[in-house]
Amino acid sequence: METDEQLIQRSLEGDRKSVEKLVEIHQGFIYNVALKFFNNLDDARDATQEVLLKAISHLSSFDASKGAFRTWLYRITFHHFLNAKQNAYEKNITGFPVFYDMIDSVPSEEMEAHEVAAMSQDIQESMVSCTAGMIMCLDREQRLVYIVGDVFEIGHVLAAQALDISPENFRQKLTRARRDLHEWMHRRCGLVNLDNPCRCPKKTKGFIAKGWVNPQNRKWHSGTHDKIRRIVESRMEDVLVARDRLYNDIYKEHPYKQPAMDAHTLLDGILKDPTFHGVFSLGTNRTETVE
């Protein structure tokens, strides 16, 4: 199997297939972190393309002697996300009290057993939409740290390097983000605390009436996808206590969605960007060159 460094070298020599392979390898992770970070399909798609444009346009500046390509790429990704313009969701959801009051304002409606079975996908969509909204209540840095550290289980050393902080600082930030999110979930979410009255099946019809869940065009459960649990590449260095594992497992059951565009189509769009012109040394003896 070809390494990132081998693909980079051939990319810089003008081999389009190698560029496409780099995009294909890393696009899914960037896109799914973006979905969790922005909670918007269009914003996630745009951010993914912008990150890959930055990375591909600056491939010649990557220095393997200073670290792995993945660390370099994640640094570009995380800093781009943290500095991106706020979307409408972020502006409206200003914290946990606002979010949970909004959820409480939706009437609860009991379902018969046959309705639960018939609407199971809509109920799952409601669960993912609601818990994805909970993450948005964290400030941007906390949100990214939680997504990277607990949802996708990127190792603390790699995550810290990508965020330009120490591993200890990353662990402290993750602990605070975990504490804030889990405390609010424990207070209000029926998924983790059975004493809380909020239940996904009871809220689903209300979510549909509000337009937050669309049975004809599900935001999360549409297209080809897997589960985050089966996609994560590495385990965290430290073992979580059982209480924290319960909360984290909710997010690992979220869908891992295929990117909106395949690598070939995405690369075509990137190559047409004026920023890209003149980046590569195009080999005249190659049949597959970056155009």
Side-chain angles (χ1 to χ4, degrees):
M1 184 175 178
E2 296 168 307
T3 65
D4 284 337
E5 287 71 21
Q6 290 171 327
L7 291 171
I8 291 168
Q9 182 58 44
R10 284 206 295 276
S11 295
L12 292 173
E13 293 170 357
D15 183 4
R16 178 192 169 112
K17 286 186 176 180
S18 293
V19 185
E20 197 168 299
K21 185 64 176 177
L22 271 176
V23 170
E24 182 182 342
I25 290 170
H26 297 285
Q27 179 189 5
F29 173 78
I30 296 170
Y31 179 67
N32 278 272
V33 172
L35 278 174
K36 286 283 171 283
F37 188 82
F38 296 105
N39 198 20
N40 181 280
L41 295 174
D42 291 337
D43 290 340
R45 181 199 62 216
D46 292 346
T48 300
Q49 184 162 340
E50 289 161 4
V51 164
L52 289 170
L53 173 60
K54 283 184 179 180
I56 293 172
S57 298
H58 292 85
L59 272 182
S60 60
S61 69
F62 168 67
D63 185 350
S65 68
K66 295 181 179 179
F69 174 71
R70 188 168 60 156
T71 305
W72 182 82
L73 178 62
Y74 288 2
R75 182 177 292 113
I76 293 173
T77 302
F78 299 163
H79 284 275
H80 183 84
F81 289 1
L82 289 172
N83 292 304
K85 183 179 178 181
Q86 274 195 330
N87 61 22
Y89 196 103
E90 287 183 284
K91 292 177 181 178
N92 291 330
I93 304 299
T94 56
F96 289 103
V98 172
F99 175 79
Y100 283 111
D101 286 349
M102 183 178 70
I103 299 301
D104 287 344
S105 71
V106 177
S108 294
E109 186 175 344
E110 294 284 353
M111 284 189 183
E112 301 290 340
H114 70 277
E115 290 182 296
V116 172
M119 298 181 68
S120 61
Q121 287 189 320
D122 295 325
I123 293 170
Q124 283 297 310
E125 183 78 1
S126 296
M127 186 276 286
V128 175
S129 296
C130 189
T131 50
M134 294 175 196
I135 292 182
M136 297 296 292
C137 298
L138 296 168
D139 67 44
R140 278 195 162 190
E141 184 181 56
Q142 284 188 317
R143 190 190 320 156
L144 183 58
V145 165
Y146 187 82
I147 292 168
V148 169
D150 271 9
V151 180
F152 287 96
E153 294 187 341
I154 298 300
H156 291 184
V157 173
L158 170 58
Q161 289 172 343
L163 287 166
D164 294 320
I165 59 178
S166 69
E168 178 58 30
N169 195 1
F170 179 83
R171 282 188 283 269
Q172 290 173 355
K173 290 177 183 293
L174 178 59
T175 297
R176 288 194 291 269
R178 188 185 291 155
R179 178 199 64 207
D180 292 348
L181 177 62
H182 295 182
E183 283 183 359
W184 273 97
M185 289 179 71
H186 183 76
R187 286 190 223 173
R188 304 290 282 273
C189 179
L191 288 171
V192 295
N193 183 353
L194 296 180
D195 291 333
N196 293 324
C198 191
R199 295 289 187 278
C200 300
K202 294 181 180 180
K203 293 291 185 180
T204 296
K205 289 183 179 180
F207 282 9
I208 293 173
K210 287 273 191 182
W212 299 345
V213 169
N214 183 351
Q216 281 71 51
N217 186 22
R218 298 185 182 96
K219 173 180 175 179
W220 297 104
H221 293 85
S222 61
T224 304
H225 61 265
D226 205 329
K227 297 287 188 182
I228 290 176
R229 178 186 303 282
R230 290 192 288 270
I231 300 296
V232 292
E233 297 177 329
S234 61
R235 304 299 296 177
M236 284 188 298
E237 299 144 356
D238 49 342
V239 179
L240 296 173
V241 297
R243 175 181 177 274
D244 285 334
R245 180 63 69 188
L246 168 66
Y247 292 83
N248 300 343
D249 279 353
I250 290 173
Y251 291 98
K252 291 188 185 67
E253 287 301 316
H254 282 200
Y256 186 91
K257 289 175 68 70
Q258 292 289 350
M261 292 183 286
D262 61 32
H264 182 86
T265 304
L266 178 59
L267 184 57
D268 276 344
I270 291 173
L271 295 181
K272 292 175 183 176
D273 192 286
T275 308
F276 191 79
H277 293 167
V279 171
F280 293 110
S281 172
L282 303 181
T284 56
N285 62 338
R286 290 182 178 271
T287 57
E288 286 290 340
T289 57
V290 177
E291 299 174 352

